[in-house]
Amino acid sequence: MALKQFEFSGSHYDIGVALGRLSADSIRNIIPKMDRMIALRKLWLGSDRLKQIEAAARTAFPDYMREMEGIADGAGVPFQDILIWNCRGDLPTESEPTSEGALGCTTVMSAGQHGNIEIAHNEDGHKWLKGQCHLVTLAPENATCVTSFYYPGLISGHNFGFNEFGLVQTVNNIRPGDQKPGLPRHIISRASLACRSMDEALGMFGRTDRASGFHYALAQRGDARLLSVEAPASGCVVREVTGRSAHANHLVFSEFDALPQDVTPSSRFRQEKAEQILSADGEGAGSGLAILGNTENADFPICLKRTDTEETSYTLATARFGITGTAVTWEVYDHPCDDAVLSGTI
């Protein structure tokens, strides 16, 4: 099923209801059967830790919690299940479900000599969600209009997206062992996607009351900076990208060398392969899309489009953003080596 784009407006709750209705079947019949969801419900449903996380989110960002409540009501499922699903990276499990060990994403970032910036991103998720995700534009009343990839049951911001102020954000999962009670990383990402400036978004990533975190690539129309941000719960390091850089699903900045983390074989190989291509060819390296389409390593390709293995990780979509002083052009692809299925300019 081709990726489709939808637009929703109204109150935050109204938007959540629309999102819940859009993916009600997936939320009710696919998500509850996933290994991670089963493990999280068993460990954390009704727990004090989940209550602490919920309370922190309601205090700091009540509007986005209303979106979450709307998703639950729109899909006809208990709110606590939607909360757990949105806190999947904030709540540790006894072990990483083996079937989901490679889940993650890859981002290629490029800062050109004339101020042109490119961010290309593979959005990798569970293959059961192939054909179940969409691109959504959300226009809440008296709030920033945002456009992002939408997973069934999850609020916007934790994958790839942009907003009406020309802010572009892509997100990679990381797996450090420093989770703590605090603001869910999906709430932080939803809030940062609605920011008017990069500096405002950096303030979100640097909050010390976060439960866990992500890697972010960040750029904005009219701002010459391209930023790569590693923000686990225990810290936030911002680096400006000059030239070209890549990031997969583990911390690579030296400031976090002492922080224990889970580095999957897939993440390690994708990071190494992308860096190898960039190092070998420098400014003449293949486009970000070409790198994201690379499948030279049959066991651990950058582009995860295989459906004939037991591995559940799958490249659900690819996005490319071109950011200049005056505009953002964007395209979304089903496969990074094919034509775009959705595109636009802001």
Side-chain angles (χ1 to χ4, degrees), residues 58-132:
R58 288 192 182 280
T59 299
F61 296 104
D63 287 343
Y64 303 138
M65 293 299 286
R66 288 294 286 160
E67 287 185 8
M68 206 180 292
E69 290 172 342
I71 290 173
D73 290 346
V77 300
F79 168 74
Q80 290 296 309
D81 283 349
I82 294 298
L83 177 63
I84 287 177
W85 181 228
N86 278 272
C87 294
R88 56 185 182 167
D90 309 300
L91 298 166
T93 55
E94 294 168 336
S95 62
E96 183 80 11
T98 56
S99 64
E100 299 181 19
L103 293 183
C105 306
T106 308
T107 304
V108 179
M109 298 157 275
S110 176
Q113 294 180 344
H114 304 291
N116 295 334
I117 292 170
E118 179 186 80
I119 301 175
H121 175 84
N122 272 356
E123 184 60 35
D124 301 336
H126 202 295
K127 69 181 179 183
W128 289 0
L129 297 179
K130 177 178 180 287
Q132 306 299 312

Coordinates of all heavy atoms in Angstrom, one line a residue, residues 58-132:
R58 N 2.2 15.2 31.9 CA 1.0 16.0 32.0 C 1.3 17.4 32.6 O 0.7 18.4 32.2 CB 0.0 15.3 33.0 CG -0.6 14.1 32.3 CD -1.8 13.6 33.1 NE -2.4 12.4 32.5 CZ -3.2 12.4 31.5 NH1 -3.6 13.5 31.0 NH2 -3.7 11.3 31.0
T59 N 2.3 17.5 33.5 CA 2.7 18.8 34.0 C 3.4 19.7 33.0 O 3.0 20.9 32.9 CB 3.6 18.6 35.2 OG1 2.9 17.9 36.3 CG2 4.0 20.0 35.8
A60 N 4.3 19.1 32.2 CA 5.1 19.9 31.3 C 4.4 20.2 30.0 O 4.5 21.3 29.4 CB 6.5 19.2 31.1
F61 N 3.7 19.2 29.4 CA 3.2 19.3 28.1 C 1.8 18.7 28.0 O 1.5 17.6 27.4 CB 4.1 18.5 27.1 CG 5.5 19.2 27.0 CD1 6.6 18.5 27.6 CD2 5.6 20.3 26.3 CE1 7.8 19.1 27.5 CE2 6.9 20.9 26.2 CZ 8.0 20.3 26.8
P62 N 0.8 19.3 28.7 CA -0.5 18.7 28.7 C -1.2 18.6 27.3 O -2.0 17.7 27.1 CB -1.3 19.7 29.6 CG -0.5 21.0 29.6 CD 0.9 20.6 29.5
D63 N -0.9 19.5 26.4 CA -1.5 19.5 25.1 C -1.1 18.2 24.4 O -2.0 17.5 23.7 CB -1.0 20.6 24.2 CG -1.7 21.9 24.7 OD1 -2.7 21.9 25.4 OD2 -1.2 23.0 24.3
Y64 N 0.1 17.7 24.5 CA 0.5 16.5 23.8 C 0.0 15.3 24.5 O -0.2 14.2 23.8 CB 2.0 16.5 23.6 CG 2.6 17.7 22.9 CD1 3.7 18.4 23.4 CD2 1.9 18.2 21.9 CE1 4.2 19.5 22.7 CE2 2.3 19.4 21.2 CZ 3.5 20.0 21.7 OH 3.9 21.2 21.0
M65 N -0.3 15.4 25.8 CA -0.9 14.2 26.4 C -2.4 14.2 26.0 O -3.0 13.1 25.9 CB -0.8 14.4 27.9 CG 0.6 14.3 28.5 SD 1.3 12.6 28.1 CE 0.4 11.6 29.3
R66 N -3.0 15.3 25.7 CA -4.3 15.3 25.1 C -4.3 14.6 23.7 O -5.3 13.9 23.4 CB -4.9 16.7 25.0 CG -5.2 17.3 26.3 CD -6.4 16.6 27.0 NE -7.7 16.9 26.4 CZ -8.8 16.2 26.5 NH1 -8.7 15.0 27.1 NH2 -9.9 16.5 25.9
E67 N -3.3 14.8 23.0 CA -3.2 14.1 21.7 C -3.2 12.6 21.9 O -3.8 11.8 21.2 CB -2.0 14.6 20.9 CG -2.1 16.0 20.3 CD -0.9 16.4 19.5 OE1 0.0 15.5 19.2 OE2 -0.8 17.5 19.1
M68 N -2.4 12.2 22.9 CA -2.3 10.8 23.2 C -3.6 10.2 23.7 O -4.0 9.1 23.3 CB -1.2 10.6 24.3 CG -0.5 9.2 24.3 SD 0.7 9.1 25.6 CE 2.0 10.2 25.0
E69 N -4.3 11.0 24.5 CA -5.6 10.5 25.0 C -6.6 10.4 23.8 O -7.4 9.5 23.7 CB -6.2 11.5 26.0 CG -5.5 11.5 27.3 CD -6.0 12.6 28.2 OE1 -6.6 13.6 27.7 OE2 -5.7 12.5 29.5
G70 N -6.5 11.4 22.8 CA -7.3 11.3 21.7 C -7.1 10.1 20.8 O -8.0 9.4 20.3
I71 N -5.8 9.7 20.7 CA -5.4 8.5 19.9 C -6.1 7.3 20.6 O -6.7 6.4 19.9 CB -3.9 8.3 19.9 CG1 -3.3 9.4 19.0 CG2 -3.6 6.9 19.3 CD1 -1.8 9.4 19.0
A72 N -6.0 7.2 21.9 CA -6.7 6.0 22.6 C -8.2 6.0 22.3 O -8.7 5.0 22.0 CB -6.3 6.1 24.1
D73 N -8.8 7.1 22.5 CA -10.3 7.2 22.3 C -10.7 6.9 20.8 O -11.6 6.2 20.6 CB -10.8 8.5 22.8 CG -10.7 8.7 24.3 OD1 -10.5 7.7 25.0 OD2 -10.9 9.8 24.8
G74 N -9.9 7.5 19.9 CA -10.2 7.3 18.5 C -10.0 5.9 18.1 O -10.8 5.4 17.2
A75 N -9.1 5.2 18.7 CA -8.8 3.8 18.3 C -9.7 2.8 19.2 O -9.8 1.6 18.9 CB -7.4 3.4 18.5
G76 N -10.3 3.3 20.3 CA -11.1 2.5 21.1 C -10.3 1.5 22.0 O -10.7 0.4 22.2
V77 N -9.1 2.0 22.5 CA -8.3 1.2 23.3 C -8.0 1.9 24.6 O -8.1 3.1 24.7 CB -6.9 0.8 22.6 CG1 -7.2 0.0 21.3 CG2 -6.1 2.1 22.3
P78 N -7.6 1.2 25.7 CA -7.2 1.9 27.0 C -6.1 2.9 26.8 O -5.1 2.6 26.1 CB -6.8 0.8 27.9 CG -7.5 -0.5 27.3 CD -7.4 -0.2 25.8
F79 N -6.2 4.0 27.5 CA -5.2 5.1 27.4 C -3.8 4.5 27.9 O -2.8 4.8 27.3 CB -5.6 6.3 28.2 CG -4.4 7.2 28.4 CD1 -4.0 8.0 27.4 CD2 -3.8 7.3 29.7 CE1 -2.9 8.9 27.6 CE2 -2.7 8.2 29.9 CZ -2.3 9.0 28.8
Q80 N -3.8 3.7 28.9 CA -2.6 3.2 29.5 C -1.8 2.4 28.4 O -0.6 2.4 28.5 CB -2.8 2.4 30.7 CG -3.3 3.2 31.9 CD -2.3 4.2 32.4 OE1 -1.1 3.8 32.6 NE2 -2.7 5.4 32.6
D81 N -2.5 1.7 27.5 CA -1.8 1.0 26.5 C -1.1 1.9 25.5 O 0.0 1.7 25.1 CB -2.8 0.1 25.7 CG -3.1 -1.2 26.5 OD1 -2.5 -1.4 27.6 OD2 -4.0 -1.9 26.1
I82 N -1.8 3.0 25.2 CA -1.2 4.0 24.3 C 0.0 4.7 25.0 O 1.0 5.0 24.4 CB -2.2 5.1 23.8 CG1 -3.3 4.4 23.0 CG2 -1.6 6.2 23.1 CD1 -2.7 3.8 21.7
L83 N -0.2 5.0 26.3 CA 0.9 5.6 27.1 C 2.2 4.7 27.1 O 3.3 5.1 26.8 CB 0.5 5.9 28.5 CG 1.5 6.4 29.4 CD1 2.0 7.8 29.0 CD2 1.0 6.5 30.9
I84 N 2.0 3.4 27.3 CA 3.1 2.5 27.3 C 3.8 2.4 26.0 O 5.0 2.4 25.8 CB 2.6 1.1 27.8 CG1 2.4 1.1 29.3 CG2 3.7 0.0 27.5 CD1 1.9 -0.2 29.9
W85 N 2.9 2.4 24.9 CA 3.5 2.3 23.6 C 4.3 3.5 23.2 O 5.4 3.4 22.6 CB 2.3 2.1 22.6 CG 2.6 2.0 21.1 CD1 2.0 2.8 20.1 CD2 3.5 1.1 20.5 NE1 2.5 2.4 18.9 CE2 3.4 1.4 19.1 CE3 4.4 0.1 20.9 CZ2 4.1 0.7 18.2 CZ3 5.1 -0.6 20.0 CH2 5.0 -0.3 18.6
N86 N 3.9 4.7 23.7 CA 4.6 5.9 23.5 C 5.9 6.0 24.4 O 6.7 6.8 24.1 CB 3.7 7.1 23.7 CG 2.9 7.4 22.4 OD1 3.4 8.2 21.5 ND2 1.7 6.9 22.3
C87 N 5.9 5.2 25.4 CA 7.0 5.2 26.4 C 7.9 4.0 26.2 O 8.7 3.7 27.1 CB 6.6 5.3 27.8 SG 5.7 6.8 28.3
R88 N 7.9 3.4 25.0 CA 8.6 2.1 24.8 C 10.1 2.3 25.0 O 10.8 1.3 25.3 CB 8.3 1.6 23.4 CG 8.6 2.5 22.3 CD 8.1 2.0 21.0 NE 8.4 2.8 19.9 CZ 8.4 2.5 18.6 NH1 8.0 1.3 18.3 NH2 8.7 3.4 17.6
G89 N 10.7 3.5 24.7 CA 12.1 3.6 24.9 C 12.5 4.2 26.3 O 13.6 4.2 26.6
D90 N 11.5 4.5 27.1 CA 11.7 5.1 28.4 C 11.6 4.1 29.5 O 12.1 4.3 30.6 CB 10.7 6.2 28.7 CG 10.6 7.2 27.6 OD1 11.6 7.9 27.3 OD2 9.5 7.4 27.0
L91 N 11.0 2.9 29.2 CA 10.8 1.8 30.1 C 11.7 0.6 29.8 O 11.4 0.0 28.8 CB 9.3 1.5 30.2 CG 8.4 2.6 30.6 CD1 6.9 2.2 30.2 CD2 8.5 2.8 32.1
P92 N 12.7 0.3 30.5 CA 13.5 -0.8 30.2 C 12.8 -2.1 30.3 O 11.9 -2.3 31.1 CB 14.7 -0.7 31.2 CG 14.2 0.1 32.3 CD 13.1 1.0 31.8
T93 N 13.2 -3.1 29.5 CA 12.7 -4.5 29.6 C 13.8 -5.3 30.1 O 15.0 -4.9 30.1 CB 12.2 -5.0 28.2 OG1 13.3 -4.8 27.3 CG2 11.0 -4.2 27.7
E94 N 13.5 -6.5 30.5 CA 14.6 -7.4 31.1 C 15.6 -7.7 30.1 O 16.8 -7.9 30.4 CB 13.9 -8.7 31.6 CG 13.0 -8.5 32.7 CD 12.1 -9.7 33.0 OE1 11.9 -10.5 32.1 OE2 11.7 -9.8 34.2
S95 N 15.3 -7.7 28.8 CA 16.2 -7.9 27.7 C 15.6 -7.4 26.4 O 14.4 -7.3 26.3 CB 16.6 -9.4 27.5 OG 15.5 -10.2 27.2
E96 N 16.4 -7.1 25.4 CA 15.9 -6.6 24.2 C 15.2 -7.8 23.5 O 15.8 -8.9 23.3 CB 17.0 -6.1 23.3 CG 16.6 -5.6 21.9 CD 16.1 -4.1 22.0 OE1 16.3 -3.5 23.1 OE2 15.5 -3.7 21.0
P97 N 13.9 -7.7 23.1 CA 13.3 -8.8 22.3 C 14.2 -9.2 21.1 O 14.5 -8.3 20.3 CB 12.0 -8.2 21.9 CG 11.7 -7.1 22.9 CD 13.0 -6.6 23.3
T98 N 14.6 -10.4 21.0 CA 15.5 -10.8 20.0 C 14.9 -10.5 18.6 O 15.7 -10.2 17.7 CB 15.8 -12.3 20.1 OG1 14.5 -13.1 20.1 CG2 16.5 -12.6 21.4
S99 N 13.6 -10.6 18.4 CA 13.0 -10.3 17.1 C 13.1 -8.9 16.7 O 12.8 -8.5 15.6 CB 11.6 -10.8 17.1 OG 10.8 -10.0 18.0
E100 N 13.4 -8.0 17.7 CA 13.4 -6.6 17.4 C 14.8 -6.0 17.6 O 15.0 -4.8 17.7 CB 12.4 -5.8 18.2 CG 11.0 -6.3 18.0 CD 10.0 -5.6 18.9 OE1 10.3 -4.5 19.4 OE2 8.9 -6.1 19.0
G101 N 15.8 -6.8 17.5 CA 17.2 -6.4 17.9 C 17.8 -5.4 16.9 O 18.7 -4.7 17.2
A102 N 17.3 -5.4 15.6 CA 17.9 -4.5 14.6 C 17.1 -3.2 14.4 O 17.4 -2.4 13.5 CB 18.1 -5.2 13.3
L103 N 16.0 -3.1 15.1 CA 15.1 -1.9 14.8 C 15.9 -0.6 15.0 O 16.6 -0.4 15.9 CB 13.9 -1.9 15.7 CG 12.9 -3.0 15.5 CD1 11.7 -2.8 16.4 CD2 12.4 -3.1 14.1
G104 N 15.8 0.3 14.0 CA 16.5 1.5 14.1 C 16.4 2.3 12.8 O 15.7 1.9 11.9
C105 N 17.2 3.3 12.6 CA 17.2 4.2 11.4 C 18.6 4.6 11.1 O 19.6 4.3 11.8 CB 16.4 5.4 11.7 SG 14.7 5.1 12.3
T106 N 18.8 5.2 9.9 CA 20.1 5.7 9.5 C 19.9 7.1 8.9 O 18.9 7.3 8.1 CB 20.7 4.8 8.4 OG1 20.7 3.4 8.9 CG2 22.1 5.2 8.1
T107 N 20.7 8.0 9.2 CA 20.7 9.4 8.7 C 22.0 9.8 8.1 O 23.0 9.5 8.6 CB 20.3 10.4 9.8 OG1 19.1 9.9 10.5 CG2 20.2 11.8 9.3
V108 N 21.9 10.4 6.9 CA 23.1 11.0 6.3 C 22.9 12.5 6.2 O 21.9 12.9 5.7 CB 23.3 10.4 4.8 CG1 24.5 11.0 4.2 CG2 23.4 8.9 4.9
M109 N 23.9 13.2 6.7 CA 23.8 14.7 6.8 C 24.9 15.3 5.9 O 26.0 14.8 5.9 CB 24.0 15.1 8.2 CG 22.9 14.6 9.2 SD 23.4 14.6 10.9 CE 24.3 13.0 11.0
S110 N 24.5 16.4 5.2 CA 25.5 17.0 4.3 C 25.4 18.5 4.4 O 24.3 19.1 4.2 CB 25.3 16.5 2.9 OG 26.2 17.2 2.0
A111 N 26.5 19.2 4.7 CA 26.5 20.7 4.7 C 27.3 21.1 3.5 O 28.5 20.9 3.5 CB 27.1 21.2 6.0
G112 N 26.7 21.7 2.5 CA 27.4 22.1 1.2 C 28.2 23.4 1.4 O 28.0 24.1 2.3
Q113 N 29.1 23.6 0.4 CA 29.9 24.8 0.5 C 29.2 26.1 0.3 O 29.6 27.2 0.8 CB 31.0 24.7 -0.6 CG 32.0 23.6 -0.4 CD 33.0 23.5 -1.5 OE1 32.8 24.1 -2.6 NE2 34.1 22.7 -1.3
H114 N 28.0 26.1 -0.3 CA 27.3 27.3 -0.5 C 26.0 27.5 0.4 O 25.1 28.1 0.0 CB 26.8 27.3 -2.0 CG 28.0 27.2 -3.0 ND1 28.9 28.2 -3.1 CD2 28.3 26.2 -3.8 CE1 29.8 27.8 -4.0 NE2 29.5 26.6 -4.4
G115 N 26.1 26.8 1.5 CA 25.0 26.9 2.5 C 23.9 26.0 2.3 O 22.9 26.1 3.0
N116 N 24.0 25.1 1.3 CA 22.9 24.2 1.1 C 23.1 22.9 2.0 O 24.2 22.4 2.1 CB 22.9 23.7 -0.4 CG 22.5 24.9 -1.3 OD1 21.8 25.8 -0.9 ND2 23.0 24.8 -2.6
I117 N 22.0 22.5 2.6 CA 22.1 21.4 3.5 C 21.1 20.3 3.0 O 20.1 20.6 2.5 CB 21.6 21.9 4.9 CG1 22.6 22.9 5.5 CG2 21.3 20.7 5.9 CD1 22.1 23.6 6.8
E118 N 21.6 19.1 3.2 CA 20.8 17.9 2.9 C 20.7 17.0 4.1 O 21.8 16.7 4.7 CB 21.3 17.2 1.7 CG 20.4 16.0 1.3 CD 20.9 15.1 0.2 OE1 21.9 14.3 0.5 OE2 20.5 15.2 -0.9
I119 N 19.6 16.5 4.4 CA 19.4 15.5 5.4 C 18.6 14.4 4.7 O 17.5 14.6 4.2 CB 18.6 15.9 6.7 CG1 19.4 17.1 7.4 CG2 18.5 14.8 7.7 CD1 18.6 17.7 8.5
A120 N 19.1 13.2 4.7 CA 18.5 12.0 4.2 C 18.3 11.0 5.3 O 19.3 10.7 6.0 CB 19.2 11.4 3.0
H121 N 17.2 10.3 5.3 CA 16.9 9.5 6.5 C 16.1 8.2 6.1 O 15.0 8.4 5.5 CB 16.1 10.3 7.5 CG 15.6 9.6 8.7 ND1 16.4 9.4 9.8 CD2 14.4 9.0 9.0 CE1 15.7 8.7 10.8 NE2 14.5 8.5 10.3
N122 N 16.6 7.1 6.5 CA 15.8 5.8 6.5 C 15.0 5.6 7.7 O 15.6 5.6 8.8 CB 16.7 4.6 6.3 CG 17.0 4.3 4.8 OD1 16.5 5.0 3.9 ND2 17.9 3.4 4.6
E123 N 13.7 5.5 7.6 CA 12.9 5.2 8.8 C 12.6 3.7 8.9 O 11.9 3.2 8.1 CB 11.5 6.0 8.7 CG 10.7 5.8 9.9 CD 11.3 6.3 11.2 OE1 12.1 7.3 11.2 OE2 11.1 5.7 12.3
D124 N 13.3 3.1 9.8 CA 13.3 1.6 10.0 C 12.4 1.3 11.2 O 12.6 1.8 12.3 CB 14.6 1.0 10.2 CG 15.6 1.3 9.0 OD1 15.1 1.6 7.9 OD2 16.8 1.3 9.2
G125 N 11.4 0.4 11.0 CA 10.5 0.0 12.1 C 10.2 -1.4 11.9 O 10.8 -2.2 11.1
H126 N 9.2 -1.9 12.6 CA 8.8 -3.3 12.6 C 8.1 -3.6 11.2 O 7.2 -2.8 10.8 CB 7.8 -3.5 13.7 CG 7.7 -4.9 14.1 ND1 7.2 -5.9 13.3 CD2 8.0 -5.6 15.3 CE1 7.2 -7.1 13.9 NE2 7.7 -6.9 15.1
K127 N 8.5 -4.7 10.6 CA 7.9 -5.0 9.3 C 6.4 -5.3 9.3 O 5.8 -5.2 8.3 CB 8.7 -6.2 8.7 CG 8.5 -7.5 9.3 CD 9.3 -8.6 8.6 CE 9.1 -10.0 9.2 NZ 9.9 -11.0 8.5
W128 N 5.9 -5.6 10.5 CA 4.4 -5.7 10.6 C 3.7 -4.4 10.3 O 2.5 -4.4 9.9 CB 4.0 -6.2 12.0 CG 4.4 -7.6 12.3 CD1 5.0 -8.5 11.5 CD2 4.2 -8.3 13.5 NE1 5.2 -9.7 12.1 CE2 4.7 -9.6 13.4 CE3 3.6 -7.9 14.7 CZ2 4.6 -10.6 14.4 CZ3 3.5 -8.9 15.7 CH2 4.0 -10.2 15.6
L129 N 4.4 -3.3 10.4 CA 3.8 -2.0 10.1 C 4.0 -1.5 8.7 O 3.6 -0.4 8.3 CB 4.4 -1.0 11.1 CG 4.1 -1.2 12.5 CD1 4.7 -0.2 13.4 CD2 2.6 -1.3 12.8
K130 N 4.5 -2.4 7.8 CA 4.6 -2.1 6.4 C 3.2 -1.8 5.8 O 2.3 -2.6 6.0 CB 5.3 -3.2 5.6 CG 5.4 -3.1 4.1 CD 6.1 -4.3 3.5 CE 6.2 -4.1 2.0 NZ 5.0 -4.3 1.3
G131 N 3.0 -0.7 5.2 CA 1.7 -0.3 4.7 C 0.8 0.3 5.7 O -0.4 0.6 5.3
Q132 N 1.2 0.4 7.0 CA 0.3 0.8 8.0 C 0.6 2.3 8.5 O -0.1 2.8 9.3 CB 0.3 -0.1 9.2 CG 0.1 -1.6 8.9 CD -1.3 -1.8 8.4 OE1 -2.3 -1.3 8.9 NE2 -1.3 -2.6 7.3

